[in-house]
Amino acid sequence: MKKFPTSSEFAAQANTNPEKYAQLYQQSIESDESNEAFWAKRAELVDWIKKPTKIKDINYDLDDFRIKWFEDGELNVSVNCLDRHLVDNPYKPAIIWEGDHPSLHKIISFKELHSEVCRLGNAMRKMGVGKGDRVALYLPMVPEAVVSMLACARIGAVHTVVFGGFSAESLASRIVDSQAKLVITADEGVRGNRYSPLKTNVDRALDVDGTECVEKVIVVHRTGNSVPMSGRRDVWYHTVIDNSNEDCPPETMNAEDPLFLLYTSGSTGKPKGVVHSTGGYLTYALSTFRDVFDVKEDDVFWCTADVGWITGHSYVTYGPLANGTTTVMFEGVPQYPTWARIGQIIDKHDVSILYTAPTAIRAMMKEGDAFVRESNRESLRLLGTVGEPINPEAWDWYHSVVGEGRCPIVDTWWQTETGGILMAPLPNSVDMKPGAAMNPLYGIKPVIVDSDGVELEDAAAGNLIISDGWPGQMRTIYGDHKRFLETYYTTYPGSYFTGDGAMRDEDGHYWITGRVDDVLNVSGHRIGTAEIESALVSHPAAAETAIVGMPHELKGQGICAYVILRHGEEDSERLRGELNRHVRAEIGPIANLDAIYVVDALPKTRSGKIMRRILRKLAAGEFDGLGDTSTLAEASVVDDLIKTVKSA
Ligand code: WTA
């Protein structure tokens, strides 16, 4: 297997080395006391109003379940991201914002960001929003998104960011579940010169039953195209900012108070509101950001994720800003105006660390090297990936073409639930293997188990669980603690179940092999098959459906739908187009159906369970070796399916 040592250029300035990593890792997991001491030390990176005296209280026994970190500590996250940097570095850029069109950019210093956050915090307080109230953010990648997150943190409100690519229906269900009091949105979003009707979607969402909780809507003026404003409910962002002062005392928060909710897909049912804490989450986002990205004072850090995802929370907003690092926010897409854009932005803003998703790397790679070579990328020193396994070809290309062989790549594995990165080859700690997340971060204890929960030692493949805890771990599912315990702490008693499979090789390095549940990973975005199925059968022509993932050259995984039509409906290209549009409208464009097969029956066991294994194989174009089909209620179904898929 090919291994890539760290370039000598990088090694010469790296924050760690193999011996240091091994020593500190060992120390961080050796015993309960040393683990606790390690986290106590990490908590010193945070400015506390009241320093915690209790570090960790974890019990995964379902009778007496507890997850508490720094439980008697008090702090304010916005103070950590802003105020504390004003002493030495008030004019350092906090956000470099690059607009959709290359002619647009804005540089916002920590002082300016602080002032705007305080103004918005005061305006929200005046509207009656306070500690513990939920605020839904439905925004494009504009600085106001970060301002809104931090303004919530300042006054103790709990934000729930809803990705701007989600539909009005998806927004409504998140508002209903979280019972948000306030929504912050924009007139429109712009990506790749295409406009999305955010305010109109909010209006539609607020027509849905159960959204009466929303008292006010603050609207950012982004494109200036006219949007309906409803008299008492809707107010312009710039008006509320102009009418507020910048003296906004931060709310004192307990470490265990929630900082935010973020909805993510599970293998069953509706998306769940993952709850993250104030003290533990901040400690974890802050310290993993330092460790994984080898951070230095003058770094310009660019994470391309949208703030609507956990990656945007931890590594666009909280991790960098809590460290006082300049964070780049990009509103647009890699292909607009041309595929040279990513390189141009790196040169324009002297980006030193680029953190992006394999799906974007594959798309750029497909367009050829010439676009990337339009830039010189001399400022780059480190690369990162996140969200899905990276195939070795894409890794190689990222390393040799984008990073010109001198930049290490951190392949970071983690989840919405984990709050921050759990595994990555820390820069200069190990020779990198393309496609492997390699090593656990400090304090993290991964375990591979078989389906009976028996721990597998040495080189092995199985399900990935994490024993013990870490400060960034999720605390509950909003409003459904029972589902939280069932989903994560029941399958393998005493450990957190990740839902991922993993392999440990002869050298002890970890490779994530993908989800072992019914969650798909499309372009690095999580989406549950159950969610898509319920959206699809809400179309009047669809009677029954099964969704599975299929290999997709660019997206990693595509969505494949098998549909049984209602009596009297006939298969046609037009109908299939309509079914796809329906699902996209229900969930959002990320739920695009890449293949639709209209079938007469689904392969079911005698007990009525759909054999997804067969459907997945067929969707991947594998018609032989379908495995044991003896439990099928009707064996002929498979032959019919093969015919349908082959003739499509
Ligand atoms: C997958 C994104 C392989 C994994 C931060 C996980 C990865 C899911 C990697 C979480 C990686 C994330 N290599 N697979 N480096 N990073 N995944 O919640 O299946 O959107 O469970 O969090 O993405 O996706 P989520």
Side-chain angles (χ1 to χ4, degrees):
M1 185 192 312
K2 223 161 141 191
K3 290 187 199 168
F4 290 79
T6 310
S7 66
S8 51
E9 193 179 340
F10 189 93
Q13 55 83 70
N15 291 351
T16 194
N17 60 42
E19 296 71 40
K20 271 201 210 163
Y21 164 74
Q23 199 191 0
L24 186 54
Y25 177 71
Q26 191 49 34
Q27 204 182 318
S28 73
I29 57 142
E30 201 144 45
S31 64
D32 281 347
E33 293 72 39
S34 73
N35 181 256
E36 200 161 318
F38 170 79
W39 290 119
K41 190 101 186 98
R42 288 299 159 132
E44 287 173 11
L45 297 170
V46 167
D47 271 9
W48 298 90
I49 296 169
K50 177 172 176 278
K51 250 188 100 162
T53 61
K54 298 182 186 160
I55 301 303
K56 169 182 172 189
D57 181 14
I58 286 181
N59 185 355
Y60 293 158
D61 288 345
L62 297 181
D63 306 334
D64 187 22
F65 189 93
R66 287 187 313 277
I67 301 178
K68 284 187 181 149
W69 285 91
F70 316 123
E71 65 183 288
D72 61 346
E74 290 174 353
L75 73 161
N76 183 282
V77 167
S78 83
V79 170
N80 277 275
C81 292
L82 300 168
D83 306 48
R84 66 166 167 169
H85 310 309
L86 299 187
V87 186
D88 295 328
N89 263 329
Y91 301 108
K92 180 175 177 176
I95 299 177
I96 297 179
W97 177 75
E98 171 80 9
D100 183 56
H101 192 272
S103 65
L104 282 181
H105 79 263
K106 235 187 262 179
I107 295 177
I108 301 166
S109 68
F110 278 96
K111 190 166 163 46
E112 289 165 319
L113 187 60
H114 174 264
S115 157
E116 188 147 330
V117 165
C118 287
R119 285 169 192 269
L120 183 60
N122 277 334
M124 287 170 26
R125 275 185 176 149
K126 241 193 276 169
M127 290 173 179
V129 179
K131 189 169 182 167
D133 290 333
R134 275 81 57 216
V135 176
L137 310 181
Y138 185 62
L139 284 160
M141 278 293 278
V142 290
E144 289 83 353
V146 170
V147 173
S148 302
M149 292 165 89
L150 294 175
C152 288
R154 189 147 198 106
I155 65 168
V158 177
H159 60 71
T160 178
V161 185
V162 180
F163 174 53
F166 279 133
S167 65
E169 284 74 14
S170 298
L171 172 63
S173 77
R174 286 155 172 82
I175 290 173
V176 173
D177 190 79
S178 65
Q179 287 294 292
K181 214 170 178 179
L182 169 72
V183 176
I184 306 182
T185 189
D187 46 9
E188 294 175 303
V190 200
R191 293 180 79 222
N193 204 27
R194 285 177 32 194
Y195 291 64
S196 54
L198 298 181
K199 174 61 166 64
T200 307
N201 286 348
V202 170
D203 290 344
R204 284 183 37 214
L206 295 186
D207 279 342
V208 172
D209 282 350
T211 59
E212 301 76 19
C213 47
V214 173
E215 291 167 15
K216 289 275 179 201
V217 178
I218 299 180
V219 186
V220 173
H221 187 278
R222 169 60 187 89
T223 66
N225 288 328
S226 103
V227 289
M229 295 286 281
S230 103
R232 239 187 288 150
R233 191 194 67 192
D234 302 347
V235 287
W236 287 105
Y237 177 92
H238 53 267
T239 311
V240 301
I241 292 283
D242 287 350
N243 293 335
S244 297
N245 73 54
E246 58 178 36
D247 178 22
C248 181
E251 195 73 39
T252 298
M253 303 300 286
N254 178 269
E256 280 297 319
D257 283 335
L259 177 63
F260 64 85
L261 315 180
L262 184 59
Y263 286 83
T264 192
S265 297
S267 49
T268 55
K270 283 192 313 184
K272 47 200 178 199
V274 171
V275 178
H276 279 294
S277 70
T278 299
Y281 172 83
L282 184 72
T283 304
Y284 200 68
L286 197 169
S287 64
T288 54
F289 177 72
R290 281 195 182 194
D291 293 337
V292 174
F293 298 107
D294 187 66
V295 174
K296 310 283 193 301
E297 172 65 34
D298 52 0
D299 270 317
V300 175
F301 179 81
W302 181 18
C303 166
T304 64
D306 192 282
V307 289
W309 310 110
I310 190 70
T311 309
H313 283 63
S314 302
Y315 302 110
V316 172
T317 304
Y318 293 112
L321 294 178
N323 268 288
T325 303
T326 302
T327 184
V328 176
M329 268 185 105
F330 177 40
E331 185 181 38
V333 292
Q335 66 270 33
Y336 178 76
T338 74
W339 282 101
R341 188 72 188 276
I342 298 282
Q344 287 162 353
I345 295 173
I346 292 169
D347 284 1
K348 179 172 171 187
H349 300 299
D350 285 328
V351 171
S352 56
I353 306 168
L354 175 67
Y355 187 35
T356 192
T359 189
I361 297 165
R362 287 192 294 268
M364 290 200 296
M365 179 170 90
K366 187 162 171 257
E367 299 302 318
D369 303 0
F371 283 116
V372 178
R373 299 211 197 275
E374 281 182 36
S375 55
N376 71 45
R377 290 165 275 83
E378 273 166 10
S379 54
L380 270 187
R381 65 180 186 90
L382 180 64
L383 301 170
T385 74
V386 58
E388 51 178 317
I390 182 165
N391 47 311
E393 303 73 41
W395 194 100
D396 258 340
W397 185 83
Y398 196 33
H399 187 252
S400 62
V401 179
V402 177
E404 308 214 321
R406 77 175 177 274
C407 308
I409 298 179
V410 282
D411 178 346
T412 64
W413 171 79
W414 57 298
Q415 311 177 303
T416 305
E417 293 89 337
T418 69
I421 298 164
L422 294 192
M423 279 192 205
L426 293 191
N428 196 41
S429 75
V430 64
D431 290 353
M432 296 162 285
K433 298 175 184 171
M438 309 284 304
N439 285 324
L441 298 201
Y442 305 121
I444 304 300
K445 303 175 196 168
V447 177
I448 296 182
V449 290
D450 66 14
S451 47
D452 298 325
V454 177
E455 178 170 353
L456 305 174
E457 309 270 350
D458 306 322
N463 291 347
L464 178 62
I465 65 176
I466 313 286
S467 67
D468 211 339
W470 62 99
Q473 63 191 139
M474 78 185 279
R475 297 300 193 269
T476 188
I477 292 174
Y478 190 71
D480 202 346
H481 196 63
K482 194 163 155 263
R483 187 176 172 199
F484 169 67
L485 299 179
E486 275 164 10
T487 309
Y488 303 106
Y489 292 98
T490 307
T491 323
Y492 299 104
S495 293
Y496 166 76
F497 178 40
T498 64
D500 276 321
M503 193 264 283
R504 190 169 43 227
D505 66 21
E506 291 75 23
D507 303 324
H509 295 135
Y510 290 87
W511 301 69
I512 305 299
T513 49
R515 302 289 306 191
V516 294
D517 55 10
D518 288 321
V519 172
L520 307 184
N521 191 325
V522 178
S523 301
H525 299 319
R526 259 168 84 160
I527 183 153
T529 52
E531 242 175 289
I532 312 173
E533 284 164 5
S534 97
L536 187 49
V537 292
S538 72
H539 187 283
E544 197 185 346
T545 157
I547 299 289
V548 294
M550 61 188 235
H552 190 286
E553 197 193 343
L554 293 178
K555 301 181 186 179
Q557 220 170 16
I559 303 174
C560 173
Y562 295 87
V563 194
I564 302 174
L565 296 180
R566 274 186 199 282
H567 194 67
E569 296 288 345
E570 225 173 281
D571 181 20
S572 68
E573 208 170 310
R574 200 188 53 78
L575 177 65
R576 275 177 270 142
E578 198 184 303
L579 292 174
N580 188 27
R581 274 192 299 280
H582 176 76
V583 173
R584 290 172 56 119
E586 286 286 307
I587 299 174
I590 59 167
N592 188 63
L593 304 178
D594 299 288
I596 304 178
Y597 300 116
V598 170
V599 297
D600 294 327
L602 294 167
K604 289 189 181 166
T605 61
R606 278 177 215 114
S607 58
K609 238 182 120 204
I610 295 175
M611 288 180 81
R612 289 170 184 276
R613 177 173 57 77
I614 294 179
L615 295 176
R616 276 194 288 267
K617 284 219 157 172
L618 298 182
E622 293 169 29
F623 302 107
D624 304 318
L626 292 176
D628 181 15
T629 52
S630 61
T631 55
L632 276 177
E634 248 184 285
S636 64
V637 170
V638 175
D639 297 329
D640 292 342
L641 282 169
I642 293 178
K643 255 184 247 152
T644 309
V645 173
K646 275 191 172 164
S647 65

